Each structure stands twice: as C-alpha cells, then as structure tokens.
C-alpha cells in the first residue's frame, strides 16, 4: 500500500465523518421542525457536532534519540516534497516536541515557544491559545526549501549555565546534558514546543503528527506524557535494528508509553527501524536476523509480533524521492502504511461512532419512542371512532361526559407531576452542587497551598494522595445522590405508565463510573511519571511542580466534566415524559372537540373520520423522516426506529 492508499483511506474516513455530521444536523433540524428541541438537548447535539468538526487523527512518534522518528515521519508523509523536510541527522536532532497539523484559520506557519516559559505556571494547553506567546515564522508552501530552512529552528540550541538549566528543570542526573568547553555551561533547547501548520493534503484531511525529541522530553514535560500522549489515536514507538532494545529504550517504554496502554482506545505500534544496517551483514541470514529481532523485541516489550514493523525509514525516503520501486519494497514501509490506513482509521471510526451513540443515542431513541407513541395513539383513536354508533345521541353524551372526567382527572395528575418535578429539582440541585466548581476548587486550592509549604518529596506525595482521596470522596457522595435522583425519576415514570398506559421510556441513567475510572487512571499515570527513572524528582524541582500542577488541572477538568454531564442529565431526563404529557393533553382535547362537533351535527361522521385519517398522515411522515435520518447516521447501533409508513 502506498502513501496514495493512506491518503485515499484518510479521505474516505473524513468523507464518512462529514456524512455523520450532516445527518446529526438533519436530526437537529427534524427536532426543531416538530417542536421537540429544548435548550439542553440542543447543547448536547451542538457539543457532539463541535467535537466531530474538531476531530483529528493524532499520531505520536516517541523513542530514544536518534532512532529515526523524524526520518520516519518524512518518509511516511512528506516524501513528495522531494526533500528531507524535517531535520534529521546523526545524534540528537529534534530539540522540541513538534506538532504538525493544518490550521485553516491560521494558514501556514511555524510557531515556537520560548524554553523560558517553563518557569511560568501556565499550562501548554493555555499557551496554545495565546498566539502572542509564540514566535511565528510564515511558511511558503510552494517552496520546500524555504520550509526546510524554517524547520531548522526545531534543532536550535543555546548554551546556558548549569544553574539556569537546573532552574528550568532541564538538568538530568541520569542523562548527560551536552557539556560544552566550559564545565559550568550546558546546551539546552532554544524552544520548548513547536506548532507547524501548512495545507498538506493529509494534514488538511485531519491528520495531526507529534514528533517528540528523544532528549528526555517525556521526562521533563509532564503535559506531554499526561495529556498529549493519552489523547493520541496511536503511539508509534521507534527502536533501531542496529542497537536492539537498549536499557534506555526499555525505560522510556515502561515509564511513558506502556502506562498509556490502559486506555483501550489507543493503539501502540513499534517500528524496528534501520533494517538496512543488516542488509549486507549476514549473507543469506538477513530474513532470519530480522525475524529473530522482531521476536526478541516482542517478548521484551510484551507486545504481539504483528505490532512490530521492521523497516528502513531512510531507504524508504530515498526510494520515494527517487521513485525506486524496488528499494521501496526493500524498505518494507508499506506494512506500516497499511496498518495506519486500516487498523488506525477503522479504530478511530469506531471511537467516533461509540461517542455519538453514548452522547446522543438516548435522544434518538427517545424521539423514536415519542413518534411511535403519537402514531399509535392517533390510530387507536381513529379505530375507536370508526366503531361508535353516532346515530345514538345518548352514547355521544356519555362519551363526552366520560372524556371531560378524564380531562379533569388528568389535570389533577399533571399537578401532581409538577409537584414531583419540584422535588426532583431540589434533588438535582443537590447532585450538581456536590460536584460544583467551587467545591472542587476549594479542595485543589487547599492542596496547592499545603504543597507549597512542603519541602520533602514525601510530603508532596502525601498531598497528592490527599487530593485524589478527596476527589474520590466527592464522587462517592455524588453516587448516593444520583441513586436517589434516579429512583425518583423512575417513580414518576411508573405513575404515568400505570395510570395512563404511557410508554415506559427507560430514563437515561447518569453514571459516575466513567469519571471514577478516569481519575484512577490519572493517578496511576502520575505515579508512574513520578517514579520514572529518568526524572530527577528533587523536592520542589521545576519538573515536580509542573507534574503536580498538570495532575491537579487534569483532575479538576475530569470533575468539571462530571458536573457538566450531571447538569445536562438533570435538565433533560424528564423531557420525554413532559412531551408525552403534552401529547396526551392534546389528544383528550381533540377527542372532545370531535365529539362536540358530532353532537352539534357539524359535518358528517364520514367527514370527521376523514379528518382524523388526515391528521395521521403528518405523524407518519414525521416517523419516516426520522427513520431516514437514523439510517443516514449509519451507526449500526441499537436505535430502534423502524422504517414504517
Ligand atoms: N541506516 C539508517 N539510518 C537511519 C534510518 N532512519 C534514520 N536514520 C539515521 O539516523 C539518524 C537519526 O535520525 P532521526 O530521524 O534524526 O532520529 P530521531 O529519532 O528523530 O532523533 P531525535 O530527534 O534526536 O530524537 C539520522 O542520521 C538518520 O539519517 C534508517 O532507516 N537507516
Ligand atoms: Mg527527531
């Protein structure tokens, strides 16, 4: 499979996503058209649309220095420029994490963030939203040479005193910072992070690449390990065939790559690069040599052999630039390209589908139940009318009296629903308040204050444990309130089901579980980071501080999301019932109107029945339209809408 194939598959994927977006937009229009929209469901739908629009396939390349990450990126994606677009050379090359993507609004640029920003207590995520914090160089996409020139910044270094480097958290006891002539001076990267945007076809389709420097970047920038790696669709870990799995490869794998594996939505592949170094090594024994390296690496890393790709990035780049098919085959790049085109893209599709089902599946199910109920009730009323002996005035009088009684009894029940709703509102308030921003901030602030007073690693460790314990408690309290709220919602539904035969729509359940899992995972990742061999965890060091502020920010974000979801749940969980109540009221009124017309001899019975039949038509149309929209979503889900007319 060639790069063209990957491009084709990526294009198919983005077309599929666009179709999904369009069908969700159609669904929202359908809800509007039939007066079924409410502010909260609208917000839910707009949120999912926004996340689909912002969707990117993120690939992260991580490894020790000089394994060939950058060369591999050049070979996989940018060979058609005819040059080695991103700088790659022997020894340490890439000096700062580099993100490549396409920013439609911003155009073509490289933005560079000063290394000194490490001293500020502002997260990388926030800095990314502050363009003026970055130095920008515009790119001329027509000229690969100009781009190549600008990208030289990615390898820029400068010399500073050891003290300065230490203050920045860039002195690594286990790793020898390159010492220059003067013993007191060391070389450090000029830039902390680079963002590159240009309209390359793959980037335009939503591909985003993160090239990391081997220079212990993962050990010094907690946000990379704790935020950017977990959010990637796939991590590609690179080894070199000429060195095998070294001790430092293993450390990086264990401390920073493998921990992310707990998230099942992420793929990890290992590239065994530089197989060309074995080409003329052993006459005839080349294949066996590669196979045995793959086997050994798979067993050391605890990974399946199919996920290890022996390739030569350098020869692949050369082959593509020179259009040498034989050499390209020899480089074995295509196996990795197939993996990216098929496995990674399919998995991403599945993730998007699951997210859409999770976030709006209940709304679609609800719409389908409600439209079904409307059609069934209207048809039932029609059949009933067809059977009535309208010549008999007594019967009509009796029916009218009966319907009026029903109307009165119903009004009383609606009052009681309003009372239950008030009880529900109180419960809902307790639920959302138990997760309120103020509560969470109170917890995190007290921990931060304690932490700044602590001067030992042990003390800080205790504080971070306390933070997670407190947040766990918050979630636990919330579980109890959620259960009570859930019981109340069920009881309200049951009443209307028992007394009026309302279809018992299973209320969507709000679950805290997801957030509990995320919190535990974050805690584990934080622990792994803190214990990583390459991180100098001296008390109050720049890296430790960054680690803890990243952990706190992420934990606060998780709880914040839980609160938002709880709020949305509280405001929407009763709406299907409210729609049914409104419909039921309309139905009784329409029945009374009809009986009144007949008793006053306005229009013939036949005409009135015809009128009822006509009323059924738009209801059926509404149902067919919904079925068509759901079919267009093509989610192979549990949606129950059937195509009936
Ligand atoms: N023989 C051979 N050399 C390669 C191959 N891939 C990369 N190299 C060379 O290995 C050196 C390092 O490659 P880079 O791509 O800069 O490595 P990196 O992993 O990005 O290194 P850092 O940016 O320092 O982390 C360069 O001199 C490349 O030309 C390969 O497949 N075969
Ligand atoms: Mg590199």
């Amino acid at each position: 499979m060639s790069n063209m194939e990957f491009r084709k598959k990526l294009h198919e994927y983005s077309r599929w996503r666009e179709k999904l977006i369009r069908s969700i937009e159609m669904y929202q229009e359908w809800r509007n058209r039939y007066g079924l929209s409410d502010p909260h469901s609208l917000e839910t739908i707009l949120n999912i649309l926004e996340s689909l629009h912002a969707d990117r396939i993120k690939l992260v390349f991580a490894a020790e220095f000089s394994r060939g990450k950058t060369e591999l990126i050049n070979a996989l994606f940018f060979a058609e420029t005819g040059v080695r677009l991103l700088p790659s050379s022997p020894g340490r090359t890439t000096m700062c994490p580099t993100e490549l993507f396409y920013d439609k609004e911003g155009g073509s640029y490289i933005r560079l963030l000063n290394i000194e920003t490490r001293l500020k207590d502002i997260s990388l995520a926030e800095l990314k939203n502050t363009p003026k914090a970055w130095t920008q160089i515009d790119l001329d996409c027509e000229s690969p040479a100009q781009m190549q020139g600008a990208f030289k910044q990615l390898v820029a270094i400068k010399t500073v005193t050891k003290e300065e480097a230490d203050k920045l958290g860039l002195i690594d006891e286990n790793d020898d910072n390159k010492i220059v002539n003067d013993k007191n001076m060391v070389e450090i990267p000029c830039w902390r992070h680079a963002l590159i945007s240009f309209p390359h076809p793959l980037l335009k389709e939503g591909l985003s690449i993160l090239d990391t420097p081997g220079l212990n970047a993962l050990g010094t920038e907690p946000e990379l390990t704790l935020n950017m790696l977990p959010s990637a669709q796939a991590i590609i870990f690179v080894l070199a065939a000429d060195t095998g799995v070294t001790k430092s490869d293993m450390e990086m794998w264990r401390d920073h790559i493998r921990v992310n594996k707990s998230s099942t939505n992420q793929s990890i592949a290992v590239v065994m690069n530089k197989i060309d170094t074995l080409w003329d090594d052993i006459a005839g024994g080349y294949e066996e040599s590669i196979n045995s390296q793959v086997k050994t690496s798979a067993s050391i890393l605890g990974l399946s052999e199919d996920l290890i790709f022996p390739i030569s990035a350098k020869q692949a780049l050369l082959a593509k630039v020179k259009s040498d098919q034989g050499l390209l085959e020899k480089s074995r790049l295509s196996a990795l390209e197939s993996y990216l085109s098929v496995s990674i893209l399919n998995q991403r599709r599945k993730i998007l589908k699951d997210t859409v089902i999770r976030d709006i599946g209940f709304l679609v199910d609800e719409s389908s139940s409600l439209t079904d109920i409307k059609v069934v009730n209207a048809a039932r009323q029609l059949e009933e009318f067809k059977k009535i002996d309208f010549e008999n005035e007594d019967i009509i009088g009796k029916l009218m009296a009966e319907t009026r009684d029903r109307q009165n009894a119903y009004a009383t029940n609606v009052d009681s629903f309003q009372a239950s709703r008030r009880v529900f509102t109180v419960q809902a308030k307790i639920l959302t308040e138990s997760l309120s921003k103020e509560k969470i901030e109170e917890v995190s602030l007290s921990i931060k204050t304690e932490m700044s007073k602590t001067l030992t690693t042990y003390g800080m460790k205790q504080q971070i444990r306390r933070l997670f314990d407190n947040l766990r408690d918050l979630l636990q309290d919330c579980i109890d309130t959620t259960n009570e709220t859930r019981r109340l919602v069920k009881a309200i539904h049951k009443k209307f089901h028992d007394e009026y035969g309302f279809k018992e729509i299973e209320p969507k359940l709000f679950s805290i579980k997801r957030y509990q899992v995320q919190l535990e995972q974050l805690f584990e990742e934080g622990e792994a980071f803190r214990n990583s061999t390459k991180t100098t965890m001296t008390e109050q060091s720049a890296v430790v501080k960054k680690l803890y502020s990243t952990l706190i920010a992420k934990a606060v974000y998780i709880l914040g999301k839980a609160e938002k979801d709880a709020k949305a749940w509280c405001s929407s969980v009763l709406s299907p019932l409210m729609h049914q109540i409104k419909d039921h009221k309309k139905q009784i009124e329409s029945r009374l109107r009809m009986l009144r017309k007949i008793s006053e001899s306005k229009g013939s019975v036949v005409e009135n029945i015809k009128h009822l039949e006509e009323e059924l038509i738009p209801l059926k149309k509404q149902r067919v339209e919904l079925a068509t929209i759901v079919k267009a979503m093509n989610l192979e889900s549990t949606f129950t809408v059937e195509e009936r007319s």
Side-chain angles (χ1 to χ4, degrees):
M1 193 171 293
S2 70
N3 198 13
M4 282 313 284
E5 274 295 305
F6 179 61
R7 188 173 295 180
K8 205 175 113 206
K9 294 277 181 217
L10 188 62
H11 184 65
E12 273 170 24
Y13 167 83
S14 68
R15 288 277 305 277
W16 166 82
R17 188 185 49 209
E18 274 163 29
K19 259 174 88 178
L20 181 60
I21 291 176
R22 257 201 317 278
S23 60
I24 296 174
E25 285 168 348
M26 270 159 63
Y27 172 58
Q28 178 51 33
E29 282 160 20
W30 178 93
R31 289 179 70 93
N32 269 342
R33 200 157 53 239
Y34 295 107
L36 292 169
S37 192
D38 57 84
H40 288 280
S41 64
L42 179 65
E43 195 185 323
T44 310
I45 294 175
L46 292 181
N47 282 344
I48 191 95
L49 283 172
E50 195 186 313
S51 65
L52 286 174
H53 276 296
D55 169 62
R56 276 178 181 162
I57 303 279
K58 286 190 205 154
L59 303 181
V60 174
F61 291 77
E64 262 298 336
F65 74 96
S66 208
R67 297 295 182 263
K69 298 175 289 290
T70 309
E71 188 81 337
L72 180 59
I73 295 171
N74 282 328
L76 277 170
F77 308 114
F78 304 122
E80 82 283 359
T81 55
V83 296
R84 175 171 282 124
L85 197 64
L86 298 170
S88 138
S89 60
R92 286 170 172 162
T93 312
T94 315
M95 283 289 146
C96 63
T98 307
E99 281 180 76
L100 293 126
F101 53 87
Y102 179 53
D103 162 10
K104 221 172 175 175
E105 276 90 53
S108 306
Y109 56 76
I110 167 167
R111 284 185 189 153
L112 300 149
L113 186 66
N114 261 324
I115 193 80
E116 285 75 20
T117 57
R118 285 175 63 84
L119 295 172
K120 292 186 186 156
D121 192 21
I122 309 176
S123 69
L124 259 179
E126 283 170 87
L127 284 165
K128 280 187 194 170
N129 290 325
T130 322
K132 52 175 206 305
W134 303 69
T135 304
Q136 173 158 332
I137 303 171
D138 292 331
L139 296 177
D140 174 3
C141 306
E142 300 301 315
S143 160
Q146 189 269 345
M147 290 174 79
Q148 213 180 10
F151 293 164
K152 290 224 169 81
Q153 287 297 332
L154 303 175
V155 302
I157 45 172
K158 60 183 176 188
T159 310
V160 295
T161 61
K162 272 189 167 175
E163 290 70 43
E164 276 175 85
D166 192 26
K167 212 163 87 188
L168 288 165
L170 292 174
I171 290 278
D172 190 335
E173 298 301 331
N174 300 307
D175 190 26
D176 46 344
N177 285 64
K178 212 167 171 196
I179 314 240
V180 283
N181 292 342
D182 182 342
K183 274 204 176 120
N184 235 339
M185 305 293 277
V186 288
E187 277 179 356
I188 62 163
C190 280
W191 309 109
R192 179 181 175 195
H193 202 90
L195 299 172
I196 298 178
S197 159
F198 65 101
H200 181 280
L202 293 172
L203 304 179
K204 268 170 90 179
E205 298 275 14
L207 179 71
S208 140
I209 299 162
L210 173 62
D211 185 12
T212 59
L215 187 74
N216 194 24
L218 296 176
T220 52
E221 190 74 273
E223 269 190 274
L224 263 188
T225 311
L226 296 174
N227 285 344
M228 294 166 82
L229 256 56
S231 74
Q233 181 52 59
I235 300 181
I236 291 137
F237 184 66
V238 187
L239 298 169
D242 56 351
T243 52
V245 186
T246 66
K247 183 165 167 272
S248 59
D249 286 327
M250 206 49 214
E251 280 169 5
M252 183 180 267
W253 171 257
R254 197 187 49 222
D255 297 337
H256 301 296
I257 314 291
R258 191 74 198 182
V259 270
N260 279 298
K261 191 78 184 104
S262 39
S263 125
T264 50
N265 281 335
Q266 192 169 56
S267 311
I268 295 186
V270 171
V271 163
M272 201 177 79
N273 192 25
K274 309 196 184 182
I275 54 166
D276 55 309
T277 55
L278 307 176
W279 280 352
D280 42 26
D281 223 25
I282 321 153
Y286 167 63
E287 276 299 326
E288 289 94 271
S289 168
I290 286 187
N291 290 343
S292 101
Q293 281 235 37
V294 167
K295 240 191 184 71
T296 318
S297 312
S299 117
I300 297 178
L301 301 175
L303 208 66
S304 151
E305 283 177 34
D306 337 328
L307 291 174
I308 302 199
F309 297 90
I311 62 171
S312 166
K314 190 176 184 168
Q315 300 304 328
L317 177 63
L318 200 67
K320 281 187 176 179
V321 170
K322 294 206 297 196
S323 303
D324 181 340
Q325 198 53 38
L327 187 60
L328 188 59
E329 273 166 33
K330 222 173 154 197
S331 78
R332 302 203 189 187
L333 189 72
S334 66
L336 180 65
E337 285 178 333
S338 300
Y339 173 75
L340 295 177
S341 319
V342 181
S343 295
I344 303 286
L345 292 184
N346 282 348
Q347 197 180 5
R348 184 72 198 159
R349 233 184 241 228
K350 186 172 175 304
I351 292 169
L352 287 199
K353 274 182 180 182
D354 290 348
T355 316
V356 171
I357 293 170
R358 189 193 67 211
D359 290 359
I360 64 163
F362 74 99
L363 279 179
V364 179
D365 278 339
E366 205 176 275
S367 305
S368 125
S369 293
L370 287 175
T371 41
D372 268 354
I373 295 165
K374 271 194 205 167
V375 174
V376 169
N377 286 343
R380 194 188 296 142
Q381 181 139 314
L382 173 67
E383 288 313 309
E384 201 190 330
F385 266 83
K386 279 183 182 166
K387 285 185 201 135
I388 296 173
D389 175 6
F390 286 104
E391 301 304 316
N392 188 336
E393 281 186 17
D394 281 354
I395 288 187
I396 296 178
K398 234 167 105 186
L399 279 176
M400 275 181 76
E402 208 181 273
T403 315
R404 261 191 220 108
D405 284 350
R406 227 198 270 178
Q407 193 177 30
N408 290 336
Y410 193 65
T412 321
N413 263 319
V414 171
D415 284 346
S416 95
F417 165 74
Q418 299 295 10
S420 314
R421 201 158 77 129
R422 279 191 289 276
V423 178
F424 171 79
T425 313
V426 175
Q427 275 285 345
K429 200 157 173 254
I430 300 175
L431 172 63
T432 49
E433 274 177 3
S434 67
L435 288 169
S436 76
K437 224 187 194 145
E438 292 74 29
K439 259 207 156 122
I440 296 164
E441 267 169 12
E442 202 182 296
V443 172
S444 71
L445 214 68
S446 92
I447 302 280
K448 267 190 188 166
T449 322
E450 286 302 312
M451 214 174 247
S452 60
K453 290 188 212 149
T454 316
L455 289 172
T456 63
T457 316
Y458 176 76
M460 290 178 96
K461 201 166 140 183
Q462 289 301 97
Q463 292 304 329
I464 211 79
R465 269 189 197 286
R466 229 186 80 207
L467 170 75
F468 278 86
D469 284 345
N470 289 349
L471 295 179
R472 277 189 202 112
D473 288 349
L474 266 186
L475 280 180
Q476 193 54 46
D477 285 352
C478 189
I479 290 179
D480 302 335
T481 324
T482 311
N483 286 341
E484 271 169 51
T485 317
R486 233 190 240 177
R487 268 195 294 279
L488 183 63
V489 170
K490 281 200 157 176
I492 302 175
H493 275 83
K494 188 166 174 348
K495 185 175 165 66
F496 279 82
H497 170 72
D498 292 349
E499 293 178 22
Y500 299 99
F502 273 26
K503 188 165 173 182
E504 212 172 355
I505 296 179
E506 183 65 26
K508 187 200 170 203
L509 300 180
F510 173 68
S511 163
I512 294 287
K513 185 110 192 101
R514 188 152 47 111
Y515 307 105
Q516 281 179 313
V517 172
Q518 287 177 12
L519 205 62
E520 293 311 320
Q521 200 172 323
L522 177 65
F523 183 68
E524 256 175 53
E525 285 168 10
E527 286 288 285
F529 189 99
R530 204 171 41 75
N531 295 327
S532 61
T533 7
K534 282 221 161 185
T535 320
T536 33
M537 285 293 164
T538 50
E539 303 82 27
Q540 300 288 334
S541 80
V543 180
V544 170
K545 280 189 188 159
K546 279 241 162 310
L547 167 66
Y548 289 147
S549 63
T550 307
L551 282 179
I552 294 174
K554 200 166 170 191
V556 168
Y557 171 79
I558 293 172
L559 274 278
K561 240 181 120 23
E563 189 219 2
K564 212 170 149 219
D565 279 7
K567 264 193 178 148
W569 179 74
C570 290
S571 1
S572 63
V573 70
L574 286 180
S575 56
L577 188 62
M578 279 174 353
H579 282 301
Q580 284 199 71
I581 289 176
K582 246 200 258 165
D583 279 349
H584 196 76
K585 184 165 169 267
K586 262 199 217 152
Q587 223 180 51
I588 300 182
E589 283 165 1
S590 129
R591 186 183 165 93
L592 263 182
R593 213 172 30 247
M594 194 68 91
L595 289 167
R596 203 174 295 127
K597 269 194 201 163
I598 292 169
S599 74
E600 288 165 5
S601 308
K602 283 183 187 153
S604 70
V605 172
V606 178
E607 262 175 43
N608 278 311
I609 292 207
K610 197 163 160 258
H611 181 68
L612 276 185
E613 276 169 348
E614 278 165 6
E615 274 184 359
L616 203 56
I617 297 169
L619 294 181
K620 285 184 175 171
K621 185 169 163 251
Q622 183 177 343
R623 190 166 71 175
V624 172
E625 283 173 3
L626 180 64
T628 314
I629 293 168
V630 171
K631 207 169 167 196
M633 285 183 187
N634 190 21
L635 292 169
E636 296 142 26
S637 75
T638 50
F639 296 161
T640 47
V641 188
E642 286 169 34
E643 252 184 311
R644 284 169 296 181
S645 60

